[in-house]
Amino acid sequence: MITTVATTPIAGQKPGTSGLRKKTPVFMGRHYLENFVQAIFDVVGAKGKTFVLGGDGRYFNDRAAQVILRMAAANGAARVIVGQGALLSTPAASHLIRLNQTDGGIIMSASHNPGGPNEDFGVKFNMPNGGPAPESVTEAMYQRTTELAEYRICEAQDVDLDRIGRHRLGEMVVDVVDPVADYAALMETLFDFRAIRAMFASGFRMRMDSMCAVTGPYAVEILENRLGAPKGTCVNAIPLPDFGGLHPDPNPTWAKALMDEMFAPDAPDFGAASDGDGDRNMVVGRGIYVSPSDSLAVLAANAHLAPGYKAGLSGVARSMPTSAAADRVAEALGLACYETPTGWKFFGNLMDAGRATICGEESFGTGSDHVREKDGLWAILLWLNILAVRKQSVAEILREHWAKYGRNYYSRHDFEAIETAKADALFAALRAALADLPGRQVEGLEVEAADDFAYTDPVDGSISTKQGVRVLFKDGSRIVFRLSGTGTEGATLRVYLERYAPGPAGLDLDAQAALAPVVRAAHELAGIAAFTGRSAPDVVT
Ligand code: VG1
Ligand code: CO
């Protein structure tokens, strides 16, 4: 029985960097999820189509899945492929969309944001290429939410999403699949599992922290069952609706237990963590942290050591705020290097056009054209493959890398939950001053150029403006100011700091110490304390 429910538009259903993200009670509010899902189907069309559905297992994931299935059926979809228990990591969903040549997919996730009845929930739509919907599509969805008058939903019982196999919901087929199997098979095609297995067999020790989020089952199956890592290598491996009350955000602040272990005297050889929906990764060696920008550069420089990339890369891409470490590798390898706005959706066109194989962001995201999302476990497995072939420690690999390419000291300082009006005022002042910045001396650094980053997509020509204020200094240092597009409380100011040191000089300098003058310059240029009342960041990565 299909019911058409009268509704009215709900303000603010505007997707951000990565889908629509709101507090869970907002999402659970009357017609909230339904309106947005109807807007998705109205824009992409559902009749006769096949979609993938899954999420990161956070609170409300299971019930939202049932609503989305009933609405897909009512809107005429032919088939939905759902991960068992309504679970799918973001990269696994991207893979299933591509593998089954579907018409796209809906992923329920607020990524690294905390989950629970009073935390965050999110919904994002991915395109038939497996990648996040581009701005033109998310903008159309938003427009649709402002004019909706009704949505369609089936009256039916819940589908048993715990039972693998074929189910029916009205006329629609629901195929419940193992969320891990196809993804694990894909990883076996890319990496030298035999070499990694031999490394574990010879006593290599690793700690994989899934942060009580979705990669737990993937990590146990791939690392412990298929690669022979000792039982217990994977910790926090059971996805919990509230992620154990923690932030499932793999960075030194939120993955502190892993950091402590990796810096202890009896640390394992390798540590890694992933986020809520499994698309982010953090990598740590014994006693050494790998910044995501450096990780991207090392992966690009060594990818040919893995079977899936032995023919070399077609190109490399990074988000604008990510450090230029990858650019130096691309230059040395004679590869094209692209600089895109923040958010994975900008990499998809480059990958589809065969222009970039490996892409990365400073926010702990790296991936390749095996899917159209960043992929936490993929990055961890590529690191393992490199370690197995080079037979060196993470520290040795990093040091050799810096000695060859020089080092891009890098850090991001986040100022969270600022009043939106104050953040807007800061940016208004900063943008107004841009033209006067070149030539100005600040903290011993001379500004060479300053702009508001705009991007013209080299494939489809679409233009994205206001993607972050960049201040470039004569000595190659750089500051980027940007407002987060994924937060659910006030505004988050992100300040991205970078300084380049050529050659082996200063290899052991701590990044924060190396960046101290750049940090002071950032505070002075943007008047952070004056506008926001904050003198120190909440999170430093
Ligand atoms: C953040 C990161 C960005 C990333 C996005 C989604 O966005 O900075 O690099 O692509 O999260 O990551 P913002 O707008 O808050 O800076 V996730 O793991 O949500 O899919
Ligand atoms: Co994520």
Side-chain angles (χ1 to χ4, degrees):
M1 239 278 278
I2 295 172
T3 317
T4 300
V5 181
T7 187
T8 48
I10 300 171
Q13 293 196 313
K14 194 175 173 69
T17 315
S18 194
L20 181 65
R21 216 169 271 191
K22 296 287 171 200
K23 289 285 167 208
T24 311
V26 174
F27 250 107
M28 294 177 74
R30 188 170 153 82
H31 296 172
Y32 196 92
L33 173 67
E34 291 85 346
N35 274 15
F36 189 64
V37 171
Q38 188 61 52
I40 293 176
F41 288 139
D42 285 348
V43 167
V44 302
K47 199 135 208 72
K49 293 196 167 173
T50 298
F51 298 107
V52 166
L53 174 66
D56 62 16
R58 69 181 58 226
Y59 186 85
F60 190 50
N61 185 88
D62 46 358
R63 281 168 285 167
Q66 299 290 351
V67 171
I68 294 169
L69 284 174
R70 282 201 282 272
M71 289 186 66
N75 280 277
R79 179 180 173 221
V80 178
I81 301 167
V82 196
Q84 186 180 26
L87 289 182
L88 280 178
S89 76
T90 287
S94 181
H95 178 50
L96 283 181
I97 291 170
R98 297 165 63 77
L99 182 70
N100 296 286
Q101 298 182 348
T102 65
D103 301 291
I106 294 179
I107 302 173
M108 302 167 289
S109 172
S111 190
H112 54 287
N113 296 15
N118 294 309
E119 300 295 348
D120 292 353
F121 193 78
V123 169
K124 53 185 175 180
F125 183 79
N126 280 33
M127 305 296 281
N129 76 342
E135 275 177 354
S136 55
V137 174
T138 55
E139 187 53 33
M141 289 169 181
Y142 170 60
Q143 281 309 321
R144 188 67 195 131
T145 66
T146 65
E147 59 197 31
L148 266 178
E150 57 185 42
Y151 63 82
R152 279 181 293 286
I153 190 159
C154 270
E155 274 175 47
Q157 294 300 318
D158 284 0
V159 179
D160 181 0
L161 296 180
D162 289 330
R163 188 168 59 79
I164 288 182
R166 181 154 286 194
H167 306 249
R168 263 170 220 286
L169 186 59
E171 303 282 290
M172 187 177 83
V173 167
V174 179
D175 283 323
V176 177
V177 301
D178 180 333
V180 178
D182 287 320
Y183 177 84
L186 175 66
M187 293 300 117
E188 295 220 30
T189 68
L190 299 174
F191 301 115
D192 189 345
F193 271 45
R194 194 182 310 177
I196 303 173
R197 206 178 294 124
M199 180 170 73
F200 277 120
S202 72
F204 181 89
R205 286 190 305 134
M206 171 178 181
R207 173 72 67 237
M208 169 71 210
D209 190 339
S210 287
M211 306 192 81
C212 304
V214 79
T215 63
Y218 296 83
V220 170
E221 172 60 19
I222 294 172
L223 297 172
E224 295 185 6
N225 297 351
R226 300 198 186 194
L227 290 169
K231 298 275 171 240
T233 293
C234 303
V235 296
N236 297 321
I238 296 173
L240 300 175
D242 67 348
F243 307 119
L246 303 169
H247 266 259
D249 194 351
N251 65 39
T253 303
W254 297 114
K256 188 171 180 305
L258 176 68
M259 290 295 282
D260 288 349
E261 188 175 358
M262 294 308 298
F263 281 81
D266 59 344
D269 300 285
F270 186 61
S274 54
D275 74 330
D277 61 331
D279 56 359
R280 295 186 180 204
N281 74 92
M282 178 175 79
V283 161
V284 202
R286 181 188 291 133
I288 191 161
Y289 161 70
V290 186
S291 86
S293 293
D294 280 343
S295 180
L296 172 65
V298 170
L299 294 181
N302 293 279
H304 61 278
L305 301 177
Y309 306 92
K310 65 172 185 290
L313 311 177
S314 62
V316 177
R318 63 165 173 87
S319 67
M320 182 274 282
T322 304
S323 94
D327 303 28
R328 299 179 196 285
V329 174
E331 198 187 333
L333 296 177
L335 298 173
C337 185
Y338 299 89
E339 186 178 29
T340 64
T342 295
W344 207 261
K345 54 190 166 215
F346 296 97
F347 295 132
N349 276 355
L350 296 171
M351 293 187 181
D352 286 346
R355 294 210 200 183
T357 309
I358 288 192
C359 303
E361 295 192 280
E362 50 64 43
S363 55
F364 300 83
T366 6
S368 89
D369 59 1
H370 66 291
V371 291
R372 292 294 180 275
E373 287 276 6
K374 54 191 187 274
D375 187 344
L377 273 170
W378 169 89
I380 293 161
L381 288 166
L382 181 49
W383 263 99
L384 284 171
N385 198 143
I386 293 165
L387 292 168
V389 174
R390 287 186 55 169
K391 302 191 191 325
Q392 288 173 296
S393 68
V394 173
E396 285 163 347
I397 288 175
L398 267 184
R399 268 167 220 287
E400 281 187 17
H401 188 93
W402 292 331
K404 180 167 176 188
Y405 296 100
R407 182 168 173 188
N408 290 73
Y409 289 100
Y410 190 84
S411 183
R412 184 176 104 184
H413 290 195
D414 290 338
F415 301 79
E416 296 179 338
I418 299 172
E419 260 176 60
T420 309
K422 291 182 177 174
D424 289 345
L426 180 150
F427 270 87
L430 198 55
R431 289 194 163 106
L434 278 181
D436 300 329
L437 286 183
R440 185 164 151 195
Q441 296 279 341
V442 45
E443 295 293 330
L445 299 161
E446 185 179 337
V447 178
E448 184 168 75
D451 70 358
D452 198 347
F453 183 59
Y455 178 70
T456 304
D457 189 298
V459 180
D460 66 18
S462 59
I463 295 173
S464 304
T465 56
K466 296 200 168 186
Q467 296 295 322
V469 168
R470 304 191 279 189
V471 182
L472 310 164
F473 297 93
K474 274 245 155 69
D475 71 344
S477 301
R478 185 182 72 153
I479 305 170
V480 176
F481 301 93
R482 223 189 118 250
L483 285 180
S484 159
T486 59
T488 56
E489 247 176 277
T492 292
L493 167 66
R494 304 204 194 284
V495 183
Y496 308 82
L497 308 138
E498 180 175 359
R499 181 179 157 193
Y500 180 63
L507 272 188
D508 289 312
L509 202 57
D510 167 72
Q512 298 304 323
L515 288 165
V518 188
V519 174
R520 288 196 299 271
H523 279 266
E524 196 177 319
L525 286 173
I528 297 174
F531 279 104
T532 69
R534 309 281 182 84
S535 49
D538 301 286
V539 178
V540 171
T541 52

